[in-house]
Amino acid sequence: METRMKQKRIRMGKRITGAAAAFFLLFSSLGALAQEDTVLGEPAKGSVQETGEVVTPITKEDKPYLSLGANLSEEQKNTVLQLLDINPEELSDYDMIYTTIDEEYQYLGDYLPAEKMGQKSLSSVLVVKREKGNGINITTKNISYCTIGMYKNALITAGISDADIIVAAPFPISGTGALVGVLKAYSVMTGEAISEKSIDTALNELVLTGDLADSLGDSKQVEEFIAYLKQQVVELDLSAEGDIQEAIEQAEKEFEISLSEEEKQQIVDLLEKIGSLDLDVDALVNQAKDLYDRITEIGKSSGFFDKVADFFQSIIDYIKGLFG
């Protein structure tokens, strides 16, 4: 009896070992495929990484502008058009422009190393102007690095308002170059030139927010942190470097973020640029209401806004005392 039980345990052990080995081989195969996907950039057929807000369907009757990556192959272009719900046979009905890799290097070259930008312009965007009060709404498809909040923050800085936007790529890519396409399409669509200064600041903000998200590990928190600081700079007209540093240090405490001195200086430099753009605080809030609503809730729960108000009121009272 004992011998039969022992043999049974051995056979069971062999089955478990065999199952474990099979599982290991399967896992290894999946890992190899994942690594291959990373190298090739191509996902499994039919796989789409989609994130974002509910965007009203954009049709050709809306007179949208389409910006396609100039280096898309014919197959990749058809994939992107499908993601944008555009019938390739109706492409001539759309106002269309192309964004080139040279344009991406022109605007992003100061903020991203060449190895991160690649050699091809692939990300594409569909942009439609909406009525006042619509705000900015964004959906992304196969954009693996830039988040909705990152795009939205940067677009508001560039002066974009009341637009629905879909960003798409044939397979998962970072999407940093897509911002160039959005700005280009929006400018052509509205006939409103976007200043080089605004474009540079918006792209600086996009890249820096991404770098901070990588460093701190929480993109949503970083989006809110930068949005809050931008609001403070615009609303309180902060221009002196010392005042901006004070705002950053206070925000660090309330958002429970710890920055290096280099990161603080990069944020100071960005906020100084933002402060010189003549942005309107109401426009900031109205174009990204969901983002600023979240920030307001954070402020209410921590007493953050009361502390900031008290801080600046103490400065005003001090100055009044000097001349009283």
Side-chain angles (χ1 to χ4, degrees), residues 10-301:
I10 290 172
R11 287 196 300 271
M12 186 178 294
K14 285 181 178 178
R15 285 199 295 270
I16 292 171
T17 302
F23 180 79
F24 177 78
L25 287 172
L26 176 61
F27 187 80
S28 298
S29 299
L30 292 173
L33 286 172
Q35 290 172 7
E36 186 177 347
D37 284 347
T38 301
V39 173
L40 296 177
E42 300 279 2
K45 190 172 181 180
S47 173
V48 178
Q49 295 178 0
E50 182 171 347
T51 59
E53 302 157 317
V54 177
V55 173
T56 303
I58 300 174
T59 67
K60 60 184 180 180
E61 285 74 23
D62 294 315
K63 303 297 181 185
Y65 262 76
L66 172 64
S67 173
L68 290 174
N71 298 116
L72 291 167
S73 68
E74 195 63 26
E75 182 180 359
Q76 291 169 344
K77 183 172 80 172
N78 287 334
T79 298
V80 166
L81 292 177
Q82 182 180 6
L83 293 175
L84 296 173
D85 292 323
I86 295 175
N87 184 343
E89 295 179 0
E90 298 178 347
L91 193 56
S92 60
D93 295 335
Y94 288 79
D95 290 308
M96 186 174 64
I97 57 176
Y98 286 92
T99 301
T100 68
I101 191 63
D102 289 339
E103 288 172 317
E104 292 185 19
Y105 269 90
Q106 175 187 346
Y107 291 109
L108 284 162
D110 289 341
Y111 306 111
L112 281 175
E115 58 269 21
K116 282 192 175 183
M117 295 180 64
Q119 300 299 319
K120 295 181 179 181
S121 177
L122 299 173
S123 52
S124 304
V125 298
L126 188 63
V127 184
V128 63
K129 182 70 175 171
R130 298 297 193 190
E131 294 181 357
K132 187 174 182 180
N134 180 83
I136 297 175
N137 300 295
I138 303 170
T139 289
T140 67
K141 300 182 180 184
N142 283 336
I143 301 301
S144 58
Y145 178 72
C146 292
T147 65
I148 300 301
M150 287 166 62
Y151 278 135
K152 190 171 288 192
N153 265 337
L155 289 171
I156 294 169
T157 295
I160 305 301
S161 63
D162 300 310
D164 286 346
I165 300 164
I166 303 174
V167 184
F171 48 81
I173 60 176
S174 69
T176 49
L179 190 63
V180 177
V182 175
L183 297 176
K184 186 176 178 181
Y186 185 89
S187 180
V188 174
M189 177 178 65
T190 60
E192 301 172 4
I194 301 173
S195 72
E196 293 291 317
K197 188 176 182 180
S198 295
I199 294 173
D200 173 73
T201 304
L203 291 167
N204 184 177
E205 180 175 349
L206 180 75
V207 175
L208 179 55
T209 304
D211 288 343
L212 290 172
D214 281 345
S215 173
L216 299 171
D218 189 336
S219 59
K220 189 174 181 180
Q221 184 185 38
V222 172
E223 291 162 13
E224 293 168 352
F225 179 72
I226 293 296
Y228 169 75
L229 285 171
K230 181 159 59 176
Q231 181 186 19
Q232 292 302 295
V233 165
V234 174
E235 189 167 19
L236 299 173
D237 194 23
L238 304 182
S239 57
E241 183 171 336
D243 291 340
I244 295 174
Q245 286 175 337
E246 288 276 359
I248 292 172
E249 289 169 5
Q250 182 64 32
E252 275 187 284
K253 295 175 185 176
E254 300 301 334
F255 281 84
E256 298 181 346
I257 284 177
S258 180
L259 301 168
S260 69
E261 290 304 315
E262 181 181 1
E263 288 169 337
K264 288 180 188 178
Q265 188 57 53
Q266 289 174 330
I267 296 172
V268 168
D269 294 341
L270 171 64
L271 293 175
E272 286 179 337
K273 286 183 182 181
I274 289 173
S276 68
L277 290 180
D278 193 29
L279 296 175
D280 178 70
V281 70
D282 290 333
L284 294 181
V285 175
N286 292 335
Q287 294 305 314
K289 194 172 184 303
D290 59 329
L291 180 59
Y292 282 97
D293 281 349
R294 292 202 309 266
I295 296 171
T296 301
E297 288 305 313
I298 292 171
K300 285 178 181 176
S301 64

